[in-house]
Amino acid sequence: MAKEGFDKEIQFLRMLVLTSGAFNRQQFAERLGISVHTFDKTQRRLKEILNGVYQHLPEEQRKQLSDAIQFSYYESSDPILLFLFRAKSVKETESERISLLLEAMDGQALTAKELLEICSASLPSYLPMPDEKTIRADLKYLEEVGVIKKEHTARPFRYRLQNDLAAGLSDEELVELFDFVDIMANTQVPSVQGYLLRDSLKKQLLRRQSGSAAAEPFLYKYHYNSRILDEAHLFTLISAIEQRCKVSFLYFSPKSEKSYSSKNTNPLFEREHAGQHVTTLPLKVVYDHQYGRWYLLSNSKIGIRKYRLEGITQLEVEDAVGQLPFEQKSIELEQRMTNSWLIDTGRPVTVRARFFHPKGSGNNFIKERVLLQGQWGHIHSEDESSFIYEITVNGTTEIKPWLRSFGSSCEVLEPLFLRQELIAEWKEIASYYESVREDL
């Protein structure tokens, strides 16, 4: 599977979810930076897989990709990225061959030559016959992802299916494990690997024909689809950080008019793109719970840089750097982020705000929320009607939406420029309702 294609489908599905089918073909293609022909080709491919996944849908709904995703939204607890992994994980020929290999190794250990004979005898005639090199490459891939393991260390190596955990559990224990993984995958961050484990356990339950597998006790649906899609790059970046490797990618900022550009291999058709080529040293990955976004914090020649994972395409891992310079850059980043509400590394500023207790309510939910979400800030000067909250943060950009979300229950006292900004914003909001009130 080409990484270019995976990026394209990620951005395709992201736009489909965010726009809910509001764009026509031409607008959709222009936003993605692809031709209408490529758009149609990608949509046809996704429709084919969608029809296989959601066979329960009426034919009219399956004709439109956006309608199929919309109408099956609450009928499937599988995230949209898992759907994409199913679509792009392996080629059709690889899928047939790997399925035969896994079936053959279930319950017995076999050598590469024995598996080659089984594949040659069982593959359909219209598919190309593999050689021993291809089989060994498949075995290496399956071993890396943890699906199989070597039975003996001496040559010739024998391989068998690694399903000891699931095979050693009773039906009741397997159901309990599935329920636990289901809860954790849908409530914790990150969760893609949990979804993949959940998918494997569900298949194991169905193989046993357990009645409990069909009736899932929980049904989750996470609404931040962009967060799930961003996790396609997350573990590559975490691995690069652990190995102190630089990464390179084509980046599209949130303000960019396009969100994707194809990787041209033919110089005759090479064209300029709206993205920015970036080579940088990743230091930290941060998740924003408020907006459901992932951020990459890295170091380059011009200092600390921040990137939203949703704009990263064509991600490649480069050479590693020394341990000492990596640690120095990491320490510098941590020092700059000491007072970051999220990832801001600007100049520290002290914010003071008055929060008003809710009237006529026995539960002081305002104070509870400030204590829960206020991070290292502290409360002082409390009386019967209000309390003062104070915190020192790097800039006011990131804390401003949090303060604004309290509405009339929060009054910013300092700094003066933040107070004036919020006064102007509330006046603008009030002006939106003046004409409506006159009409009424």
Side-chain angles (χ1 to χ4, degrees), residues 192-270:
V192 167
Q193 289 187 340
Y195 284 129
L196 296 175
L197 176 59
R198 174 190 175 279
D199 197 44
S200 299
L201 291 173
K202 186 176 182 179
K203 290 176 181 177
Q204 185 72 21
L205 281 171
L206 293 174
R207 288 192 195 101
R208 296 189 183 187
Q209 298 180 347
S210 172
S212 303
E216 298 179 22
F218 310 105
L219 183 61
Y220 299 93
K221 199 65 184 179
Y222 196 84
H223 296 276
Y224 288 126
N225 288 285
S226 291
R227 190 270 287 179
I228 298 294
L229 292 172
D230 289 344
E231 289 189 27
H233 293 317
L234 177 63
F235 296 99
T236 302
L237 291 170
I238 291 176
S239 177
I241 293 172
E242 291 175 348
Q243 300 173 20
R244 307 189 305 275
C245 292
K246 289 185 176 182
V247 295
S248 63
F249 49 83
L250 186 64
Y251 183 68
F252 294 85
S253 70
K255 296 181 180 179
S256 174
E257 294 182 357
K258 299 184 184 301
S259 61
Y260 172 81
S261 181
S262 61
K263 187 176 181 180
N264 299 292
T265 55
N266 189 333
L268 295 177
F269 294 93
E270 190 172 359

Coordinates of all heavy atoms in Angstrom, one line a residue, residues 192-270:
V192 N -6.6 3.9 18.7 CA -6.6 3.1 17.5 C -6.2 1.7 17.7 O -6.8 0.7 17.2 CB -5.8 3.8 16.4 CG1 -5.6 2.9 15.2 CG2 -6.5 5.0 15.9
Q193 N -5.1 1.5 18.4 CA -4.6 0.1 18.7 C -5.6 -0.6 19.5 O -5.7 -1.9 19.3 CB -3.2 0.2 19.4 CG -2.1 0.7 18.5 CD -0.8 0.5 19.1 OE1 -0.6 0.5 20.3 NE2 0.3 0.5 18.3
G194 N -6.3 0.0 20.4 CA -7.4 -0.6 21.2 C -8.5 -1.1 20.3 O -9.1 -2.1 20.4
Y195 N -8.8 -0.2 19.2 CA -9.9 -0.6 18.3 C -9.4 -1.9 17.5 O -10.3 -2.8 17.2 CB -10.1 0.5 17.3 CG -11.0 1.6 17.9 CD1 -10.5 3.0 17.8 CD2 -12.2 1.4 18.5 CE1 -11.3 4.0 18.3 CE2 -12.9 2.4 19.1 CZ -12.5 3.7 19.0 OH -13.2 4.7 19.5
L196 N -8.2 -1.9 17.1 CA -7.7 -3.1 16.4 C -7.7 -4.3 17.2 O -8.1 -5.4 16.7 CB -6.3 -2.8 15.9 CG -6.1 -1.7 14.9 CD1 -4.7 -1.4 14.6 CD2 -6.9 -1.9 13.6
L197 N -7.3 -4.2 18.5 CA -7.4 -5.4 19.4 C -8.9 -5.8 19.6 O -9.2 -7.0 19.7 CB -6.8 -5.0 20.8 CG -6.9 -6.1 21.9 CD1 -6.2 -7.4 21.4 CD2 -6.2 -5.5 23.2
R198 N -9.8 -4.8 19.8 CA -11.2 -5.1 19.9 C -11.7 -5.8 18.7 O -12.5 -6.8 18.8 CB -11.9 -3.7 20.1 CG -13.5 -3.9 20.1 CD -14.1 -2.5 20.1 NE -15.5 -2.6 20.0 CZ -16.2 -2.8 18.9 NH1 -15.6 -3.0 17.7 NH2 -17.5 -2.8 18.9
D199 N -11.3 -5.4 17.5 CA -11.7 -6.1 16.3 C -11.3 -7.5 16.3 O -12.0 -8.4 15.9 CB -11.2 -5.3 15.1 CG -11.9 -5.6 13.8 OD1 -13.1 -5.7 13.8 OD2 -11.2 -5.8 12.8
S200 N -10.0 -7.8 16.7 CA -9.5 -9.1 16.7 C -10.3 -10.0 17.7 O -10.6 -11.2 17.4 CB -8.0 -9.1 17.0 OG -7.3 -8.4 16.1
L201 N -10.5 -9.5 18.9 CA -11.3 -10.2 19.9 C -12.7 -10.5 19.4 O -13.2 -11.6 19.7 CB -11.3 -9.5 21.2 CG -10.0 -9.3 21.9 CD1 -10.1 -8.4 23.1 CD2 -9.5 -10.7 22.4
K202 N -13.3 -9.6 18.7 CA -14.7 -9.8 18.3 C -14.7 -10.9 17.2 O -15.6 -11.8 17.2 CB -15.2 -8.5 17.6 CG -16.7 -8.6 17.2 CD -17.1 -7.2 16.7 CE -18.6 -7.2 16.4 NZ -19.1 -5.9 15.9
K203 N -13.7 -11.0 16.4 CA -13.6 -12.0 15.4 C -13.4 -13.4 16.1 O -14.0 -14.4 15.6 CB -12.5 -11.8 14.4 CG -12.7 -10.6 13.4 CD -11.5 -10.3 12.5 CE -11.8 -9.2 11.6 NZ -10.6 -8.8 10.8
Q204 N -12.6 -13.4 17.1 CA -12.4 -14.6 17.9 C -13.7 -15.1 18.5 O -14.0 -16.3 18.5 CB -11.3 -14.4 18.9 CG -10.9 -15.6 19.7 CD -10.1 -16.6 18.9 OE1 -9.5 -16.2 17.9 NE2 -10.1 -17.9 19.3
L205 N -14.5 -14.2 19.0 CA -15.8 -14.5 19.6 C -16.7 -15.1 18.6 O -17.4 -16.1 18.8 CB -16.4 -13.3 20.3 CG -15.9 -12.9 21.7 CD1 -16.4 -11.5 22.1 CD2 -16.2 -13.9 22.7
L206 N -16.7 -14.5 17.4 CA -17.6 -15.0 16.3 C -17.2 -16.3 15.9 O -18.1 -17.1 15.5 CB -17.6 -13.9 15.2 CG -18.3 -12.6 15.5 CD1 -18.1 -11.6 14.3 CD2 -19.7 -12.7 15.8
R207 N -15.9 -16.6 15.9 CA -15.4 -17.9 15.5 C -16.0 -19.0 16.4 O -16.2 -20.1 16.0 CB -13.9 -18.0 15.4 CG -13.3 -17.2 14.3 CD -11.8 -17.6 14.1 NE -11.1 -16.6 13.3 CZ -10.4 -15.6 13.7 NH1 -10.2 -15.5 15.1 NH2 -9.8 -14.8 12.9
R208 N -16.0 -18.7 17.7 CA -16.5 -19.6 18.7 C -18.1 -19.7 18.7 O -18.6 -20.5 19.4 CB -16.1 -19.2 20.1 CG -14.6 -19.2 20.3 CD -14.2 -19.1 21.7 NE -12.8 -19.0 22.0 CZ -12.3 -19.0 23.2 NH1 -13.1 -19.0 24.3 NH2 -11.0 -18.9 23.4
Q209 N -18.7 -18.8 17.9 CA -20.2 -18.8 17.8 C -20.8 -18.6 19.1 O -21.8 -19.2 19.5 CB -20.7 -20.1 17.1 CG -20.2 -20.3 15.7 CD -20.7 -21.6 15.1 OE1 -21.2 -22.4 15.8 NE2 -20.5 -21.7 13.8
S210 N -20.2 -17.7 19.9 CA -20.7 -17.3 21.2 C -21.9 -16.4 21.1 O -21.8 -15.4 20.4 CB -19.6 -16.7 22.1 OG -20.2 -16.2 23.3
G211 N -23.0 -16.7 21.7 CA -24.1 -15.8 21.6 C -23.9 -14.4 22.2 O -24.5 -13.5 21.8
S212 N -23.0 -14.3 23.1 CA -22.7 -13.0 23.8 C -22.0 -12.1 22.8 O -22.0 -10.9 23.0 CB -21.8 -13.3 25.0 OG -22.4 -14.1 25.9
A213 N -21.4 -12.6 21.8 CA -20.6 -11.7 20.9 C -21.6 -10.9 20.1 O -21.2 -9.7 19.7 CB -19.7 -12.6 19.9
A214 N -22.8 -11.4 19.7 CA -23.7 -10.7 18.9 C -24.3 -9.5 19.6 O -24.6 -8.5 19.0 CB -24.7 -11.6 18.3
A215 N -24.6 -9.7 20.9 CA -25.2 -8.7 21.7 C -24.2 -7.9 22.5 O -23.9 -8.3 23.6 CB -26.3 -9.4 22.6
E216 N -23.7 -6.9 21.9 CA -22.7 -6.0 22.6 C -23.4 -5.2 23.6 O -24.4 -4.5 23.3 CB -22.0 -5.2 21.6 CG -21.2 -6.0 20.6 CD -20.5 -5.1 19.6 OE1 -20.3 -3.9 19.9 OE2 -20.1 -5.5 18.5
P217 N -22.9 -5.2 24.9 CA -23.6 -4.5 26.0 C -23.4 -3.0 25.9 O -24.2 -2.2 26.5 CB -23.0 -5.0 27.2 CG -21.6 -5.5 26.8 CD -21.8 -6.0 25.4
F218 N -22.4 -2.5 25.2 CA -22.1 -1.1 25.1 C -22.0 -0.7 23.6 O -21.6 -1.4 22.7 CB -20.8 -0.7 25.7 CG -20.6 -1.3 27.1 CD1 -19.8 -2.4 27.3 CD2 -21.3 -0.8 28.2 CE1 -19.7 -3.0 28.6 CE2 -21.2 -1.3 29.5 CZ -20.4 -2.4 29.7
L219 N -22.4 0.6 23.3 CA -22.3 1.1 22.0 C -21.8 2.5 22.1 O -22.5 3.4 22.6 CB -23.7 1.1 21.3 CG -23.7 1.6 19.8 CD1 -22.8 0.7 19.0 CD2 -25.1 1.6 19.2
Y220 N -20.6 2.7 21.7 CA -20.0 4.1 21.8 C -19.9 4.7 20.4 O -19.8 4.0 19.4 CB -18.5 3.9 22.4 CG -18.5 3.4 23.8 CD1 -18.3 2.0 24.0 CD2 -18.6 4.2 24.9 CE1 -18.2 1.5 25.2 CE2 -18.5 3.7 26.2 CZ -18.4 2.3 26.3 OH -18.3 1.8 27.6
K221 N -19.9 6.0 20.3 CA -19.6 6.7 19.1 C -18.9 8.0 19.4 O -19.5 8.9 20.0 CB -20.9 7.0 18.3 CG -20.6 7.2 16.8 CD -20.0 6.0 16.1 CE -19.7 6.3 14.7 NZ -19.1 5.1 14.0
Y222 N -17.6 8.0 19.1 CA -16.8 9.2 19.4 C -17.0 10.2 18.3 O -16.8 9.9 17.1 CB -15.3 8.8 19.5 CG -14.5 9.9 20.2 CD1 -14.4 10.0 21.6 CD2 -13.8 10.8 19.5 CE1 -13.7 10.9 22.2 CE2 -13.0 11.8 20.1 CZ -13.0 11.8 21.4 OH -12.2 12.8 22.1
H223 N -17.3 11.4 18.6 CA -17.7 12.4 17.6 C -16.5 13.2 17.0 O -16.7 13.8 15.9 CB -18.7 13.4 18.2 CG -20.0 12.8 18.6 ND1 -21.0 12.6 17.8 CD2 -20.4 12.4 19.8 CE1 -22.0 12.1 18.4 NE2 -21.7 11.9 19.7
Y224 N -15.3 13.1 17.6 CA -14.2 13.8 17.0 C -13.5 12.8 16.0 O -12.5 12.2 16.3 CB -13.2 14.2 18.1 CG -13.7 15.3 18.9 CD1 -13.7 15.2 20.3 CD2 -14.1 16.5 18.4 CE1 -14.1 16.3 21.1 CE2 -14.5 17.6 19.1 CZ -14.5 17.5 20.5 OH -15.0 18.5 21.3
N225 N -14.0 12.8 14.8 CA -13.5 11.9 13.8 C -12.1 12.3 13.4 O -11.2 11.5 13.0 CB -14.4 11.8 12.5 CG -15.7 11.0 12.8 OD1 -15.7 9.8 12.9 ND2 -16.8 11.7 13.0
S226 N -11.8 13.6 13.4 CA -10.5 14.1 13.0 C -9.4 13.5 14.0 O -8.3 13.2 13.6 CB -10.4 15.6 13.1 OG -11.2 16.1 12.0
R227 N -9.8 13.4 15.3 CA -8.8 12.9 16.3 C -8.5 11.4 16.0 O -7.3 11.0 16.0 CB -9.5 13.0 17.7 CG -8.5 12.7 18.8 CD -8.5 11.2 19.2 NE -9.7 10.8 19.9 CZ -9.9 9.6 20.3 NH1 -9.0 8.6 20.1 NH2 -11.0 9.3 20.9
I228 N -9.5 10.6 15.6 CA -9.3 9.3 15.2 C -8.4 9.2 14.0 O -7.5 8.4 13.9 CB -10.6 8.5 15.0 CG1 -11.4 8.5 16.3 CG2 -10.4 7.1 14.6 CD1 -10.8 7.8 17.4
L229 N -8.7 10.0 13.0 CA -7.9 9.9 11.7 C -6.5 10.4 12.0 O -5.6 9.9 11.3 CB -8.6 10.8 10.7 CG -9.9 10.3 10.1 CD1 -10.6 11.4 9.3 CD2 -9.8 9.0 9.4
D230 N -6.3 11.3 12.9 CA -4.9 11.8 13.1 C -4.0 10.7 13.7 O -2.8 10.7 13.6 CB -4.9 13.0 14.1 CG -5.5 14.2 13.5 OD1 -5.5 14.2 12.2 OD2 -5.9 15.2 14.2
E231 N -4.6 9.7 14.4 CA -3.8 8.7 15.0 C -3.2 7.7 14.0 O -2.3 6.9 14.4 CB -4.7 7.8 15.9 CG -5.1 8.6 17.2 CD -5.8 7.7 18.2 OE1 -5.5 6.5 18.3 OE2 -6.6 8.3 19.0
A232 N -3.4 7.9 12.7 CA -2.7 7.1 11.7 C -1.2 7.5 11.7 O -0.4 6.7 11.3 CB -3.3 7.4 10.3
H233 N -0.9 8.8 12.0 CA 0.5 9.2 12.1 C 1.1 9.2 13.5 O 2.3 9.3 13.6 CB 0.6 10.7 11.5 CG 0.3 10.8 10.1 ND1 0.8 9.9 9.1 CD2 -0.4 11.7 9.4 CE1 0.3 10.3 7.9 NE2 -0.4 11.4 8.1
L234 N 0.2 9.0 14.5 CA 0.6 9.2 15.9 C 1.7 8.3 16.3 O 2.8 8.7 16.8 CB -0.6 9.0 16.8 CG -0.3 9.1 18.3 CD1 0.3 10.5 18.7 CD2 -1.5 8.8 19.1
F235 N 1.6 7.0 16.0 CA 2.5 6.0 16.5 C 3.8 6.0 15.7 O 4.9 5.7 16.2 CB 1.9 4.6 16.5 CG 0.7 4.5 17.4 CD1 -0.6 4.6 16.9 CD2 0.9 4.3 18.7 CE1 -1.6 4.5 17.8 CE2 -0.1 4.2 19.6 CZ -1.4 4.3 19.1
T236 N 3.8 6.5 14.4 CA 5.0 6.7 13.7 C 5.8 7.8 14.3 O 7.1 7.7 14.5 CB 4.7 7.1 12.2 OG1 3.9 6.0 11.6 CG2 6.0 7.3 11.4
L237 N 5.2 8.9 14.8 CA 5.9 10.0 15.4 C 6.4 9.6 16.8 O 7.5 10.0 17.2 CB 4.9 11.2 15.5 CG 4.5 11.9 14.2 CD1 3.4 12.9 14.4 CD2 5.7 12.6 13.6
I238 N 5.6 8.9 17.5 CA 6.0 8.4 18.9 C 7.3 7.5 18.7 O 8.2 7.6 19.5 CB 4.9 7.7 19.6 CG1 3.8 8.7 20.0 CG2 5.4 7.0 20.9 CD1 2.6 8.0 20.6
S239 N 7.3 6.6 17.7 CA 8.4 5.8 17.5 C 9.6 6.6 17.1 O 10.8 6.3 17.6 CB 8.1 4.8 16.4 OG 9.2 4.0 16.1
A240 N 9.5 7.7 16.3 CA 10.6 8.5 15.9 C 11.1 9.3 17.1 O 12.3 9.4 17.2 CB 10.1 9.5 14.8
I241 N 10.3 9.7 18.0 CA 10.7 10.4 19.2 C 11.5 9.4 20.1 O 12.6 9.8 20.6 CB 9.5 10.9 20.0 CG1 8.9 12.1 19.2 CG2 10.0 11.5 21.4 CD1 7.6 12.6 19.8
E242 N 11.1 8.2 20.3 CA 11.8 7.2 21.1 C 13.1 6.9 20.5 O 14.1 6.6 21.2 CB 10.9 5.9 21.2 CG 9.7 6.1 22.0 CD 8.8 4.9 22.1 OE1 9.1 4.0 21.2 OE2 7.9 4.8 22.9
Q243 N 13.2 6.9 19.2 CA 14.5 6.6 18.5 C 15.3 7.8 18.2 O 16.4 7.7 17.5 CB 14.2 5.7 17.2 CG 13.5 4.4 17.5 CD 13.1 3.7 16.2 OE1 13.7 4.0 15.2 NE2 12.2 2.8 16.3
R244 N 14.8 9.0 18.6 CA 15.5 10.3 18.3 C 15.8 10.5 16.8 O 16.9 11.0 16.4 CB 16.8 10.3 19.1 CG 16.7 10.0 20.6 CD 18.0 10.3 21.3 NE 19.2 9.6 20.7 CZ 19.5 8.4 21.0 NH1 18.8 7.7 21.9 NH2 20.6 7.8 20.5
C245 N 14.8 10.2 16.0 CA 14.9 10.3 14.6 C 14.2 11.6 14.1 O 13.2 12.0 14.6 CB 14.3 9.1 13.8 SG 15.2 7.6 14.1
K246 N 14.8 12.2 13.1 CA 14.1 13.3 12.4 C 13.0 12.8 11.5 O 13.0 11.6 11.1 CB 15.1 14.1 11.6 CG 16.1 15.0 12.4 CD 17.0 15.8 11.5 CE 17.9 16.7 12.3 NZ 18.7 17.6 11.4
V247 N 12.1 13.6 11.2 CA 11.0 13.2 10.3 C 10.8 14.3 9.2 O 11.2 15.5 9.4 CB 9.6 13.0 11.0 CG1 9.7 11.9 12.0 CG2 9.2 14.3 11.7
S248 N 10.3 13.9 8.1 CA 10.0 14.9 7.0 C 8.6 14.6 6.6 O 8.1 13.5 6.6 CB 11.0 14.7 5.8 OG 10.9 13.4 5.3
F249 N 7.9 15.7 6.2 CA 6.5 15.6 5.7 C 6.1 16.8 4.9 O 6.8 17.8 4.9 CB 5.6 15.4 6.9 CG 5.7 16.3 8.0 CD1 5.1 17.6 8.0 CD2 6.5 16.0 9.1 CE1 5.3 18.5 9.0 CE2 6.7 16.9 10.2 CZ 6.0 18.1 10.1
L250 N 5.0 16.7 4.2 CA 4.4 17.8 3.5 C 3.3 18.3 4.4 O 2.4 17.6 4.7 CB 3.9 17.4 2.2 CG 3.4 18.5 1.3 CD1 4.5 19.5 0.9 CD2 2.7 17.9 0.0
Y251 N 3.4 19.6 4.8 CA 2.4 20.1 5.8 C 1.5 21.1 5.2 O 1.9 22.0 4.4 CB 3.2 20.8 6.9 CG 2.3 21.3 8.0 CD1 1.6 20.4 8.8 CD2 2.1 22.7 8.3 CE1 0.8 20.9 9.9 CE2 1.3 23.1 9.3 CZ 0.6 22.2 10.1 OH -0.2 22.7 11.1
F252 N 0.2 21.0 5.5 CA -0.8 21.9 5.1 C -1.4 22.6 6.4 O -2.0 21.9 7.2 CB -2.0 21.2 4.3 CG -1.5 20.7 3.0 CD1 -0.9 19.4 3.0 CD2 -1.6 21.4 1.9 CE1 -0.5 18.9 1.8 CE2 -1.2 20.9 0.6 CZ -0.6 19.6 0.6
S253 N -1.2 23.9 6.5 CA -1.7 24.6 7.7 C -3.2 24.7 7.7 O -3.8 24.5 6.6 CB -1.1 26.0 7.8 OG -1.6 26.8 6.8
P254 N -3.9 24.9 8.8 CA -5.3 25.0 8.9 C -5.9 26.1 8.0 O -7.0 26.1 7.5 CB -5.6 25.3 10.3 CG -4.5 24.7 11.1 CD -3.3 24.9 10.2
K255 N -5.1 27.1 7.7 CA -5.5 28.3 6.9 C -5.3 28.0 5.4 O -5.7 28.8 4.6 CB -4.8 29.5 7.3 CG -5.1 30.0 8.7 CD -4.3 31.2 9.1 CE -4.6 31.7 10.5 NZ -3.9 32.9 10.9
S256 N -4.6 26.9 5.1 CA -4.3 26.6 3.7 C -5.6 26.3 2.9 O -6.6 25.7 3.5 CB -3.4 25.4 3.6 OG -3.2 25.0 2.2
E257 N -5.7 26.7 1.7 CA -6.9 26.5 0.8 C -7.0 25.0 0.4 O -8.0 24.6 0.0 CB -6.8 27.4 -0.4 CG -7.0 28.8 -0.1 CD -7.0 29.7 -1.3 OE1 -6.8 29.1 -2.4 OE2 -7.1 30.9 -1.2
K258 N -5.9 24.3 0.5 CA -5.9 22.8 0.1 C -5.4 22.0 1.3 O -4.8 22.5 2.2 CB -5.0 22.6 -1.1 CG -5.4 23.3 -2.3 CD -4.5 23.0 -3.5 CE -4.9 23.8 -4.7 NZ -6.2 23.6 -5.2
S259 N -5.8 20.8 1.4 CA -5.4 19.9 2.5 C -4.7 18.7 2.0 O -4.3 17.8 2.9 CB -6.7 19.4 3.2 OG -7.6 18.7 2.3
Y260 N -4.4 18.6 0.7 CA -3.7 17.4 0.2 C -3.0 17.7 -1.1 O -3.5 18.6 -1.9 CB -4.6 16.2 0.1 CG -4.0 15.0 -0.6 CD1 -3.2 14.1 0.1 CD2 -4.2 14.7 -2.0 CE1 -2.6 13.0 -0.5 CE2 -3.7 13.7 -2.6 CZ -2.9 12.8 -1.9 OH -2.3 11.7 -2.5
S261 N -1.9 17.0 -1.4 CA -1.3 17.2 -2.7 C -0.7 15.8 -3.1 O 0.0 15.2 -2.2 CB -0.2 18.3 -2.7 OG 0.4 18.4 -4.0
S262 N -0.9 15.4 -4.3 CA -0.4 14.1 -4.7 C 1.1 14.1 -4.8 O 1.7 15.1 -5.1 CB -1.0 13.6 -6.0 OG -0.7 14.6 -7.0
K263 N 1.7 12.9 -4.6 CA 3.2 12.8 -4.7 C 3.5 12.4 -6.1 O 3.3 11.3 -6.5 CB 3.7 11.8 -3.7 CG 5.2 11.7 -3.6 CD 5.6 10.7 -2.5 CE 7.1 10.6 -2.4 NZ 7.5 9.6 -1.4
N264 N 4.0 13.4 -6.9 CA 4.3 13.1 -8.3 C 5.6 12.4 -8.5 O 6.6 12.9 -8.1 CB 4.3 14.4 -9.1 CG 2.9 15.2 -9.0 OD1 1.9 14.7 -9.5 ND2 3.0 16.3 -8.3
T265 N 5.5 11.2 -9.2 CA 6.7 10.5 -9.5 C 7.2 10.7 -10.9 O 8.4 10.4 -11.3 CB 6.5 9.0 -9.3 OG1 5.3 8.6 -10.1 CG2 6.2 8.7 -7.8
N266 N 6.3 11.2 -11.8 CA 6.7 11.5 -13.2 C 7.0 13.0 -13.3 O 6.2 13.9 -13.1 CB 5.5 11.2 -14.1 CG 5.9 11.2 -15.6 OD1 6.8 12.0 -15.9 ND2 5.2 10.4 -16.4
P267 N 8.3 13.4 -13.6 CA 8.6 14.8 -13.7 C 7.8 15.6 -14.8 O 7.7 16.8 -14.7 CB 10.1 14.7 -14.1 CG 10.4 13.4 -14.6 CD 9.4 12.5 -14.0
L268 N 7.3 14.9 -15.8 CA 6.5 15.6 -16.8 C 5.2 16.1 -16.2 O 4.6 17.1 -16.8 CB 6.2 14.6 -18.0 CG 7.4 14.1 -18.8 CD1 6.9 13.1 -19.8 CD2 8.1 15.3 -19.4
F269 N 4.7 15.5 -15.1 CA 3.4 16.0 -14.6 C 3.6 16.6 -13.2 O 2.7 16.8 -12.4 CB 2.5 14.8 -14.4 CG 2.1 14.2 -15.7 CD1 2.8 13.1 -16.3 CD2 1.0 14.7 -16.4 CE1 2.4 12.6 -17.5 CE2 0.6 14.1 -17.6 CZ 1.3 13.1 -18.2
E270 N 4.9 17.0 -12.9 CA 5.1 17.6 -11.6 C 4.6 19.0 -11.6 O 4.6 19.8 -12.5 CB 6.7 17.7 -11.4 CG 7.0 18.1 -10.0 CD 8.5 18.0 -9.8 OE1 9.2 17.5 -10.7 OE2 9.0 18.3 -8.7

